[in-house]
Amino acid sequence: MGAPEFVLKLREKIGNDALWLPAVRGVVFNDDGQVLLGQRADNGHWALITGMLEPGEHPAPGLVREIFEETAVVARTERIIGVGVVGPITFPNGDVCDFLDITFRCRYVSGEARVNDDESLAVGWFGLDELPEMSAGNLEAIRLATEPEGPVAYQPEDEGY
């Protein structure tokens, strides 16, 4: 699955210039305390499940949609654990995006984790002591999600998330 239709229409007007887009990310735990990860098709890196929100889409249902579309797992959001900015990211075609990232702690409800679209090479559950190599932002999100009732973490302006 490529860029959403609304992004393609914007790109027709602005070319590769930077876009500011709302995005969501989920730290999904199953009953065994494992976290759901996907190996991204665009760069081969393991990461939490993420996605862009459609115009007018609320963040929590949008994330639940993204998790299902990418992994066939049904999840429910429990709470927001972080808000920050990811980017700028330059994609292979030259498009530039900055993402307002809202990260949620989520709970597994049902489904068999599998690659469910073309955005992932692999999908799986990982124990916290067996995580693959991932970005510092993903590791920090997992750490925040393990805190039972921690406050929402807001990214300082001078740090990556």
Side-chain angles (χ1 to χ4, degrees), residues 46-112:
W46 284 95
L48 296 166
I49 308 305
T50 64
M52 283 186 274
L53 296 174
E54 297 287 334
E57 186 174 34
H58 288 258
L63 176 58
V64 169
R65 174 188 56 77
E66 285 286 344
I67 292 167
F68 182 78
E69 287 178 358
E70 294 182 24
T71 70
V73 166
V74 176
R76 66 176 168 82
T77 58
E78 294 183 324
R79 64 185 174 93
I80 294 174
I81 59 171
V83 177
V85 176
V86 176
I89 296 173
T90 302
F91 291 91
N93 66 358
D95 289 351
V96 179
C97 294
D98 289 284
F99 297 96
L100 171 62
D101 177 65
I102 304 168
T103 303
F104 290 83
R105 177 188 164 102
C106 303
R107 178 65 50 198
Y108 166 85
V109 174
S110 65
E112 186 84 20

Short mmCIF file of all heavy atoms in Angstrom, two decimals, residues 46-112:
data_model
loop_
_atom_site.label_atom_id
_atom_site.label_comp_id
_atom_site.label_asym_id
_atom_site.label_seq_id
_atom_site.Cartn_x
_atom_site.Cartn_y
_atom_site.Cartn_z
N TRP A 46 13.09 -3.15 11.66
CA TRP A 46 12.01 -3.54 12.56
C TRP A 46 11.50 -2.30 13.27
O TRP A 46 12.30 -1.43 13.66
CB TRP A 46 12.48 -4.57 13.57
CG TRP A 46 12.62 -5.93 12.96
CD1 TRP A 46 13.75 -6.48 12.44
CD2 TRP A 46 11.58 -6.90 12.78
NE1 TRP A 46 13.48 -7.73 11.95
CE2 TRP A 46 12.16 -8.02 12.15
CE3 TRP A 46 10.23 -6.92 13.09
CZ2 TRP A 46 11.43 -9.15 11.83
CZ3 TRP A 46 9.50 -8.06 12.78
CH2 TRP A 46 10.09 -9.15 12.15
N ALA A 47 10.19 -2.22 13.47
CA ALA A 47 9.59 -1.03 14.08
C ALA A 47 8.22 -1.38 14.66
O ALA A 47 7.63 -2.41 14.34
CB ALA A 47 9.43 0.08 13.04
N LEU A 48 7.74 -0.48 15.49
CA LEU A 48 6.36 -0.54 15.95
C LEU A 48 5.45 -0.29 14.75
O LEU A 48 5.87 0.26 13.74
CB LEU A 48 6.12 0.52 17.03
CG LEU A 48 6.93 0.31 18.31
CD1 LEU A 48 6.89 1.56 19.17
CD2 LEU A 48 6.40 -0.90 19.07
N ILE A 49 4.20 -0.67 14.88
CA ILE A 49 3.24 -0.47 13.80
C ILE A 49 2.83 1.00 13.77
O ILE A 49 2.44 1.57 14.81
CB ILE A 49 2.02 -1.39 13.97
CG1 ILE A 49 2.47 -2.84 14.15
CG2 ILE A 49 1.07 -1.23 12.78
CD1 ILE A 49 3.38 -3.39 13.07
N THR A 50 2.93 1.61 12.60
CA THR A 50 2.66 3.03 12.44
C THR A 50 1.77 3.27 11.22
O THR A 50 1.60 2.37 10.38
CB THR A 50 3.96 3.83 12.23
OG1 THR A 50 4.57 3.40 11.01
CG2 THR A 50 4.93 3.63 13.38
N GLY A 51 1.25 4.47 11.13
CA GLY A 51 0.51 4.83 9.93
C GLY A 51 0.08 6.27 9.94
O GLY A 51 0.14 6.95 10.96
N MET A 52 -0.34 6.73 8.76
CA MET A 52 -0.86 8.08 8.60
C MET A 52 -2.38 8.07 8.79
O MET A 52 -3.05 7.14 8.35
CB MET A 52 -0.56 8.61 7.20
CG MET A 52 0.85 9.06 7.01
SD MET A 52 1.06 9.82 5.38
CE MET A 52 1.38 8.37 4.40
N LEU A 53 -2.87 9.10 9.42
CA LEU A 53 -4.31 9.26 9.58
C LEU A 53 -4.90 9.85 8.30
O LEU A 53 -4.27 10.69 7.64
CB LEU A 53 -4.63 10.17 10.76
CG LEU A 53 -4.20 9.65 12.13
CD1 LEU A 53 -4.43 10.71 13.20
CD2 LEU A 53 -4.93 8.36 12.47
N GLU A 54 -6.10 9.43 7.98
CA GLU A 54 -6.85 10.01 6.86
C GLU A 54 -7.45 11.34 7.32
O GLU A 54 -7.63 11.56 8.52
CB GLU A 54 -7.98 9.06 6.45
CG GLU A 54 -7.50 7.71 5.93
CD GLU A 54 -6.89 7.79 4.54
OE1 GLU A 54 -7.25 8.70 3.78
OE2 GLU A 54 -6.06 6.92 4.23
N PRO A 55 -7.78 12.25 6.39
CA PRO A 55 -8.38 13.52 6.79
C PRO A 55 -9.63 13.28 7.65
O PRO A 55 -10.50 12.49 7.30
CB PRO A 55 -8.75 14.17 5.45
CG PRO A 55 -7.74 13.61 4.50
CD PRO A 55 -7.55 12.18 4.95
N GLY A 56 -9.69 13.94 8.80
CA GLY A 56 -10.82 13.84 9.71
C GLY A 56 -10.85 12.60 10.57
O GLY A 56 -11.74 12.46 11.41
N GLU A 57 -9.89 11.69 10.41
CA GLU A 57 -9.89 10.44 11.18
C GLU A 57 -9.35 10.68 12.59
O GLU A 57 -8.35 11.36 12.77
CB GLU A 57 -9.02 9.40 10.47
CG GLU A 57 -9.05 8.03 11.09
CD GLU A 57 -8.30 7.00 10.25
OE1 GLU A 57 -7.29 7.35 9.62
OE2 GLU A 57 -8.73 5.83 10.26
N HIS A 58 -10.02 10.13 13.57
CA HIS A 58 -9.57 10.25 14.96
C HIS A 58 -8.37 9.33 15.19
O HIS A 58 -8.31 8.24 14.61
CB HIS A 58 -10.71 9.92 15.92
CG HIS A 58 -11.75 10.99 15.96
ND1 HIS A 58 -11.83 11.90 16.98
CD2 HIS A 58 -12.74 11.31 15.10
CE1 HIS A 58 -12.83 12.73 16.74
NE2 HIS A 58 -13.39 12.39 15.60
N PRO A 59 -7.42 9.75 16.04
CA PRO A 59 -6.20 8.98 16.21
C PRO A 59 -6.38 7.54 16.70
O PRO A 59 -5.78 6.62 16.12
CB PRO A 59 -5.39 9.81 17.22
CG PRO A 59 -5.87 11.20 17.02
CD PRO A 59 -7.34 11.06 16.71
N ALA A 60 -7.16 7.29 17.75
CA ALA A 60 -7.26 5.93 18.28
C ALA A 60 -7.88 4.96 17.27
O ALA A 60 -7.28 3.90 16.99
CB ALA A 60 -8.02 5.92 19.61
N PRO A 61 -9.04 5.25 16.68
CA PRO A 61 -9.57 4.33 15.68
C PRO A 61 -8.67 4.21 14.45
O PRO A 61 -8.57 3.15 13.83
CB PRO A 61 -10.93 4.93 15.29
CG PRO A 61 -11.25 5.94 16.31
CD PRO A 61 -9.98 6.33 16.98
N GLY A 62 -7.98 5.30 14.11
CA GLY A 62 -7.05 5.25 12.98
C GLY A 62 -5.91 4.29 13.23
O GLY A 62 -5.49 3.54 12.34
N LEU A 63 -5.40 4.28 14.46
CA LEU A 63 -4.33 3.34 14.79
C LEU A 63 -4.84 1.91 14.78
O LEU A 63 -4.18 1.01 14.25
CB LEU A 63 -3.72 3.67 16.16
CG LEU A 63 -2.65 2.69 16.64
CD1 LEU A 63 -1.49 2.60 15.65
CD2 LEU A 63 -2.16 3.09 18.01
N VAL A 64 -6.02 1.68 15.34
CA VAL A 64 -6.60 0.33 15.33
C VAL A 64 -6.74 -0.16 13.88
O VAL A 64 -6.43 -1.31 13.56
CB VAL A 64 -7.95 0.32 16.08
CG1 VAL A 64 -8.70 -0.98 15.86
CG2 VAL A 64 -7.71 0.56 17.57
N ARG A 65 -7.18 0.73 12.99
CA ARG A 65 -7.28 0.39 11.56
C ARG A 65 -5.91 0.02 10.98
O ARG A 65 -5.76 -0.98 10.31
CB ARG A 65 -7.89 1.57 10.79
CG ARG A 65 -7.89 1.37 9.27
CD ARG A 65 -8.32 2.63 8.51
NE ARG A 65 -7.54 3.82 8.81
CZ ARG A 65 -6.32 4.08 8.35
NH1 ARG A 65 -5.69 3.20 7.57
NH2 ARG A 65 -5.70 5.21 8.65
N GLU A 66 -4.90 0.86 11.26
CA GLU A 66 -3.56 0.62 10.74
C GLU A 66 -2.99 -0.72 11.24
O GLU A 66 -2.39 -1.47 10.47
CB GLU A 66 -2.61 1.76 11.12
CG GLU A 66 -2.81 3.03 10.34
CD GLU A 66 -2.31 2.94 8.90
OE1 GLU A 66 -1.53 2.02 8.56
OE2 GLU A 66 -2.70 3.81 8.11
N ILE A 67 -3.16 -1.00 12.52
CA ILE A 67 -2.65 -2.25 13.08
C ILE A 67 -3.28 -3.44 12.36
O ILE A 67 -2.58 -4.38 11.96
CB ILE A 67 -2.89 -2.32 14.60
CG1 ILE A 67 -2.02 -1.28 15.32
CG2 ILE A 67 -2.61 -3.73 15.14
CD1 ILE A 67 -2.41 -1.04 16.78
N PHE A 68 -4.60 -3.39 12.16
CA PHE A 68 -5.25 -4.50 11.47
C PHE A 68 -4.81 -4.59 10.01
O PHE A 68 -4.50 -5.68 9.51
CB PHE A 68 -6.78 -4.38 11.55
CG PHE A 68 -7.45 -5.55 10.90
CD1 PHE A 68 -7.52 -6.77 11.55
CD2 PHE A 68 -7.95 -5.44 9.62
CE1 PHE A 68 -8.10 -7.87 10.93
CE2 PHE A 68 -8.53 -6.53 8.99
CZ PHE A 68 -8.60 -7.75 9.65
N GLU A 69 -4.77 -3.45 9.31
CA GLU A 69 -4.38 -3.47 7.90
C GLU A 69 -2.99 -4.06 7.70
O GLU A 69 -2.75 -4.79 6.73
CB GLU A 69 -4.41 -2.06 7.30
CG GLU A 69 -5.79 -1.52 7.07
CD GLU A 69 -5.80 -0.11 6.52
OE1 GLU A 69 -4.72 0.51 6.36
OE2 GLU A 69 -6.91 0.40 6.28
N GLU A 70 -2.07 -3.76 8.61
CA GLU A 70 -0.69 -4.19 8.43
C GLU A 70 -0.41 -5.57 9.01
O GLU A 70 0.51 -6.25 8.53
CB GLU A 70 0.27 -3.17 9.04
CG GLU A 70 0.22 -1.84 8.32
CD GLU A 70 1.19 -0.81 8.87
OE1 GLU A 70 2.21 -1.21 9.49
OE2 GLU A 70 0.93 0.39 8.68
N THR A 71 -1.16 -6.01 10.04
CA THR A 71 -0.78 -7.24 10.76
C THR A 71 -1.90 -8.25 10.93
O THR A 71 -1.63 -9.35 11.44
CB THR A 71 -0.26 -6.90 12.16
OG1 THR A 71 -1.35 -6.44 12.98
CG2 THR A 71 0.84 -5.85 12.13
N ALA A 72 -3.13 -7.93 10.59
CA ALA A 72 -4.31 -8.79 10.82
C ALA A 72 -4.61 -8.96 12.31
O ALA A 72 -5.39 -9.83 12.68
CB ALA A 72 -4.18 -10.14 10.13
N VAL A 73 -4.02 -8.15 13.16
CA VAL A 73 -4.28 -8.19 14.60
C VAL A 73 -5.32 -7.13 14.95
O VAL A 73 -5.21 -5.99 14.50
CB VAL A 73 -2.98 -7.96 15.41
CG1 VAL A 73 -3.27 -7.65 16.87
CG2 VAL A 73 -2.05 -9.16 15.28
N VAL A 74 -6.31 -7.53 15.73
CA VAL A 74 -7.27 -6.59 16.27
C VAL A 74 -6.74 -6.16 17.63
O VAL A 74 -6.40 -6.99 18.48
CB VAL A 74 -8.67 -7.23 16.42
CG1 VAL A 74 -9.64 -6.26 17.09
CG2 VAL A 74 -9.19 -7.68 15.07
N ALA A 75 -6.64 -4.85 17.83
CA ALA A 75 -6.13 -4.30 19.09
C ALA A 75 -7.07 -3.22 19.57
O ALA A 75 -7.93 -2.73 18.82
CB ALA A 75 -4.73 -3.74 18.89
N ARG A 76 -6.89 -2.84 20.82
CA ARG A 76 -7.62 -1.68 21.34
C ARG A 76 -6.61 -0.77 22.01
O ARG A 76 -5.63 -1.22 22.60
CB ARG A 76 -8.73 -2.08 22.31
CG ARG A 76 -8.28 -2.69 23.59
CD ARG A 76 -9.48 -2.96 24.53
NE ARG A 76 -9.09 -3.79 25.63
CZ ARG A 76 -8.48 -3.36 26.74
NH1 ARG A 76 -8.22 -2.08 26.89
NH2 ARG A 76 -8.15 -4.20 27.70
N THR A 77 -6.84 0.53 21.87
CA THR A 77 -5.93 1.48 22.50
C THR A 77 -6.26 1.57 23.99
O THR A 77 -7.42 1.47 24.38
CB THR A 77 -6.03 2.86 21.85
OG1 THR A 77 -7.36 3.33 21.94
CG2 THR A 77 -5.60 2.81 20.39
N GLU A 78 -5.22 1.76 24.80
CA GLU A 78 -5.39 1.92 26.25
C GLU A 78 -5.14 3.35 26.70
O GLU A 78 -5.88 3.90 27.49
CB GLU A 78 -4.48 0.96 27.01
CG GLU A 78 -4.84 -0.48 26.79
CD GLU A 78 -3.98 -1.43 27.60
OE1 GLU A 78 -2.78 -1.17 27.78
OE2 GLU A 78 -4.53 -2.46 28.04
N ARG A 79 -4.06 3.94 26.18
CA ARG A 79 -3.77 5.31 26.57
C ARG A 79 -2.69 5.88 25.66
O ARG A 79 -1.91 5.14 25.05
CB ARG A 79 -3.31 5.41 28.02
CG ARG A 79 -2.02 4.70 28.34
CD ARG A 79 -1.71 4.76 29.84
NE ARG A 79 -0.55 3.96 30.16
CZ ARG A 79 0.70 4.44 30.22
NH1 ARG A 79 0.93 5.72 30.01
NH2 ARG A 79 1.71 3.65 30.52
N ILE A 80 -2.64 7.20 25.56
CA ILE A 80 -1.56 7.87 24.84
C ILE A 80 -0.33 7.86 25.74
O ILE A 80 -0.41 8.19 26.92
CB ILE A 80 -1.95 9.32 24.48
CG1 ILE A 80 -3.10 9.32 23.48
CG2 ILE A 80 -0.75 10.09 23.92
CD1 ILE A 80 -3.65 10.70 23.17
N ILE A 81 0.81 7.49 25.17
CA ILE A 81 2.05 7.49 25.96
C ILE A 81 3.05 8.54 25.49
O ILE A 81 3.96 8.89 26.22
CB ILE A 81 2.72 6.10 25.98
CG1 ILE A 81 3.06 5.63 24.56
CG2 ILE A 81 1.84 5.10 26.70
CD1 ILE A 81 3.91 4.39 24.51
N GLY A 82 2.86 9.06 24.28
CA GLY A 82 3.82 10.05 23.81
C GLY A 82 3.31 10.84 22.63
O GLY A 82 2.51 10.36 21.84
N VAL A 83 3.79 12.08 22.53
CA VAL A 83 3.50 12.96 21.41
C VAL A 83 4.81 13.59 21.00
O VAL A 83 5.55 14.11 21.84
CB VAL A 83 2.47 14.05 21.78
CG1 VAL A 83 2.25 15.00 20.62
CG2 VAL A 83 1.16 13.42 22.23
N GLY A 84 5.11 13.52 19.71
CA GLY A 84 6.37 14.09 19.25
C GLY A 84 6.36 14.32 17.75
O GLY A 84 5.33 14.19 17.09
N VAL A 85 7.51 14.63 17.21
CA VAL A 85 7.68 14.88 15.79
C VAL A 85 8.70 13.89 15.25
O VAL A 85 9.75 13.67 15.86
CB VAL A 85 8.16 16.32 15.53
CG1 VAL A 85 8.44 16.55 14.05
CG2 VAL A 85 7.12 17.32 16.04
N VAL A 86 8.37 13.28 14.12
CA VAL A 86 9.30 12.40 13.42
C VAL A 86 9.58 13.05 12.07
O VAL A 86 8.67 13.33 11.31
CB VAL A 86 8.71 10.99 13.23
CG1 VAL A 86 9.65 10.12 12.41
CG2 VAL A 86 8.42 10.34 14.58
N GLY A 87 10.85 13.30 11.80
CA GLY A 87 11.22 13.87 10.52
C GLY A 87 12.10 15.09 10.67
O GLY A 87 12.47 15.46 11.79
N PRO A 88 12.44 15.68 9.56
CA PRO A 88 11.93 15.37 8.24
C PRO A 88 12.48 14.04 7.71
O PRO A 88 13.62 13.68 7.98
CB PRO A 88 12.41 16.54 7.38
CG PRO A 88 13.62 17.05 8.07
CD PRO A 88 13.40 16.79 9.53
N ILE A 89 11.63 13.34 6.98
CA ILE A 89 12.00 12.09 6.33
C ILE A 89 11.91 12.32 4.83
O ILE A 89 10.90 12.82 4.33
CB ILE A 89 11.07 10.93 6.74
CG1 ILE A 89 11.24 10.66 8.23
CG2 ILE A 89 11.35 9.69 5.90
CD1 ILE A 89 10.26 9.65 8.79
N THR A 90 12.97 11.98 4.11
CA THR A 90 12.97 12.05 2.66
C THR A 90 12.84 10.63 2.13
O THR A 90 13.68 9.77 2.42
CB THR A 90 14.25 12.71 2.12
OG1 THR A 90 14.37 14.02 2.69
CG2 THR A 90 14.23 12.81 0.60
N PHE A 91 11.79 10.39 1.38
CA PHE A 91 11.52 9.07 0.82
C PHE A 91 12.30 8.88 -0.47
O PHE A 91 12.78 9.86 -1.06
CB PHE A 91 10.01 8.90 0.62
CG PHE A 91 9.25 8.82 1.92
CD1 PHE A 91 8.74 9.97 2.50
CD2 PHE A 91 9.10 7.61 2.57
CE1 PHE A 91 8.07 9.91 3.72
CE2 PHE A 91 8.43 7.54 3.79
CZ PHE A 91 7.93 8.68 4.35
N PRO A 92 12.48 7.62 -0.90
CA PRO A 92 13.28 7.36 -2.11
C PRO A 92 12.85 8.16 -3.34
O PRO A 92 13.68 8.50 -4.18
CB PRO A 92 13.10 5.85 -2.34
CG PRO A 92 12.85 5.30 -0.97
CD PRO A 92 12.04 6.36 -0.26
N ASN A 93 11.57 8.50 -3.45
CA ASN A 93 11.11 9.28 -4.60
C ASN A 93 11.33 10.78 -4.44
O ASN A 93 10.95 11.56 -5.30
CB ASN A 93 9.62 9.00 -4.88
CG ASN A 93 8.71 9.49 -3.77
OD1 ASN A 93 9.16 10.02 -2.76
ND2 ASN A 93 7.42 9.32 -3.97
N GLY A 94 11.93 11.19 -3.32
CA GLY A 94 12.22 12.61 -3.07
C GLY A 94 11.18 13.33 -2.25
O GLY A 94 11.40 14.48 -1.85
N ASP A 95 10.04 12.71 -1.98
CA ASP A 95 9.02 13.33 -1.13
C ASP A 95 9.56 13.53 0.28
O ASP A 95 10.24 12.66 0.81
CB ASP A 95 7.76 12.46 -1.05
CG ASP A 95 6.96 12.42 -2.33
OD1 ASP A 95 7.26 13.21 -3.26
OD2 ASP A 95 6.02 11.60 -2.41
N VAL A 96 9.24 14.68 0.87
CA VAL A 96 9.67 15.00 2.23
C VAL A 96 8.43 15.13 3.12
O VAL A 96 7.46 15.79 2.73
CB VAL A 96 10.49 16.31 2.26
CG1 VAL A 96 10.92 16.66 3.69
CG2 VAL A 96 11.71 16.19 1.35
N CYS A 97 8.50 14.51 4.30
CA CYS A 97 7.39 14.59 5.26
C CYS A 97 7.93 14.78 6.67
O CYS A 97 8.98 14.24 7.02
CB CYS A 97 6.55 13.30 5.25
SG CYS A 97 5.67 12.99 3.73
N ASP A 98 7.18 15.54 7.44
CA ASP A 98 7.34 15.61 8.89
C ASP A 98 6.04 15.06 9.46
O ASP A 98 4.96 15.39 8.96
CB ASP A 98 7.53 17.05 9.37
CG ASP A 98 8.89 17.59 9.00
OD1 ASP A 98 9.86 17.20 9.65
OD2 ASP A 98 8.96 18.41 8.06
N PHE A 99 6.15 14.24 10.50
CA PHE A 99 4.97 13.61 11.07
C PHE A 99 4.76 14.05 12.51
O PHE A 99 5.69 13.98 13.32
CB PHE A 99 5.11 12.08 11.04
CG PHE A 99 5.20 11.52 9.66
CD1 PHE A 99 6.44 11.25 9.08
CD2 PHE A 99 4.06 11.28 8.92
CE1 PHE A 99 6.52 10.73 7.81
CE2 PHE A 99 4.13 10.76 7.63
CZ PHE A 99 5.37 10.49 7.08
N LEU A 100 3.55 14.49 12.83
CA LEU A 100 3.13 14.68 14.21
C LEU A 100 2.75 13.29 14.69
O LEU A 100 1.77 12.71 14.23
CB LEU A 100 1.93 15.62 14.32
CG LEU A 100 1.30 15.69 15.71
CD1 LEU A 100 2.29 16.23 16.73
CD2 LEU A 100 0.04 16.53 15.68
N ASP A 101 3.54 12.71 15.58
CA ASP A 101 3.39 11.32 16.00
C ASP A 101 2.69 11.24 17.35
O ASP A 101 3.14 11.83 18.33
CB ASP A 101 4.77 10.66 16.10
CG ASP A 101 4.69 9.25 16.61
OD1 ASP A 101 4.11 8.40 15.91
OD2 ASP A 101 5.20 8.99 17.72
N ILE A 102 1.58 10.51 17.38
CA ILE A 102 0.86 10.22 18.62
C ILE A 102 1.02 8.73 18.87
O ILE A 102 0.59 7.91 18.05
CB ILE A 102 -0.63 10.60 18.51
CG1 ILE A 102 -0.77 12.07 18.11
CG2 ILE A 102 -1.35 10.32 19.83
CD1 ILE A 102 -2.18 12.46 17.70
N THR A 103 1.67 8.38 19.98
CA THR A 103 1.95 6.98 20.28
C THR A 103 1.04 6.49 21.39
O THR A 103 0.89 7.14 22.42
CB THR A 103 3.43 6.80 20.70
OG1 THR A 103 4.27 7.29 19.64
CG2 THR A 103 3.76 5.34 20.94
N PHE A 104 0.44 5.32 21.16
CA PHE A 104 -0.48 4.70 22.10
C PHE A 104 0.06 3.39 22.64
O PHE A 104 0.70 2.63 21.91
CB PHE A 104 -1.81 4.35 21.41
CG PHE A 104 -2.66 5.52 21.03
CD1 PHE A 104 -2.43 6.21 19.86
CD2 PHE A 104 -3.74 5.89 21.82
CE1 PHE A 104 -3.24 7.27 19.48
CE2 PHE A 104 -4.55 6.95 21.46
CZ PHE A 104 -4.31 7.64 20.28
N ARG A 105 -0.26 3.10 23.89
CA ARG A 105 -0.13 1.75 24.43
C ARG A 105 -1.41 1.04 24.02
O ARG A 105 -2.51 1.60 24.17
CB ARG A 105 0.00 1.77 25.95
CG ARG A 105 0.05 0.37 26.55
CD ARG A 105 -0.03 0.41 28.08
NE ARG A 105 -0.35 -0.90 28.58
CZ ARG A 105 0.55 -1.75 29.12
NH1 ARG A 105 1.80 -1.39 29.25
NH2 ARG A 105 0.18 -2.94 29.52
N CYS A 106 -1.27 -0.18 23.49
CA CYS A 106 -2.42 -0.94 23.01
C CYS A 106 -2.40 -2.35 23.58
O CYS A 106 -1.36 -2.85 24.01
CB CYS A 106 -2.39 -1.04 21.48
SG CYS A 106 -2.36 0.54 20.62
N ARG A 107 -3.55 -2.98 23.55
CA ARG A 107 -3.73 -4.35 24.03
C ARG A 107 -4.26 -5.21 22.89
O ARG A 107 -5.19 -4.82 22.19
CB ARG A 107 -4.71 -4.36 25.21
CG ARG A 107 -5.04 -5.70 25.78
CD ARG A 107 -3.91 -6.44 26.43
NE ARG A 107 -3.17 -5.67 27.39
CZ ARG A 107 -1.95 -6.01 27.82
NH1 ARG A 107 -1.37 -7.07 27.38
NH2 ARG A 107 -1.33 -5.27 28.70
N TYR A 108 -3.65 -6.39 22.72
CA TYR A 108 -4.11 -7.38 21.75
C TYR A 108 -5.52 -7.84 22.10
O TYR A 108 -5.83 -8.08 23.27
CB TYR A 108 -3.14 -8.57 21.77
CG TYR A 108 -3.65 -9.80 21.07
CD1 TYR A 108 -3.50 -9.94 19.69
CD2 TYR A 108 -4.30 -10.81 21.77
CE1 TYR A 108 -3.98 -11.06 19.04
CE2 TYR A 108 -4.77 -11.93 21.12
CZ TYR A 108 -4.61 -12.06 19.76
OH TYR A 108 -5.08 -13.17 19.12
N VAL A 109 -6.39 -7.96 21.11
CA VAL A 109 -7.74 -8.46 21.29
C VAL A 109 -7.91 -9.81 20.60
O VAL A 109 -8.36 -10.78 21.21
CB VAL A 109 -8.79 -7.45 20.77
CG1 VAL A 109 -10.19 -8.04 20.84
CG2 VAL A 109 -8.72 -6.14 21.55
N SER A 110 -7.53 -9.89 19.32
CA SER A 110 -7.69 -11.14 18.58
C SER A 110 -6.88 -11.09 17.29
O SER A 110 -6.34 -10.04 16.93
CB SER A 110 -9.17 -11.39 18.25
OG SER A 110 -9.66 -10.39 17.38
N GLY A 111 -6.85 -12.22 16.60
CA GLY A 111 -6.18 -12.29 15.30
C GLY A 111 -4.82 -12.96 15.39
O GLY A 111 -4.20 -13.00 16.45
N GLU A 112 -4.40 -13.48 14.26
CA GLU A 112 -3.09 -14.13 14.12
C GLU A 112 -2.14 -13.15 13.44
O GLU A 112 -2.41 -12.72 12.31
CB GLU A 112 -3.24 -15.40 13.28
CG GLU A 112 -2.02 -16.23 13.17
CD GLU A 112 -1.85 -17.18 14.35
OE1 GLU A 112 -2.85 -17.46 15.04
OE2 GLU A 112 -0.72 -17.62 14.56
#
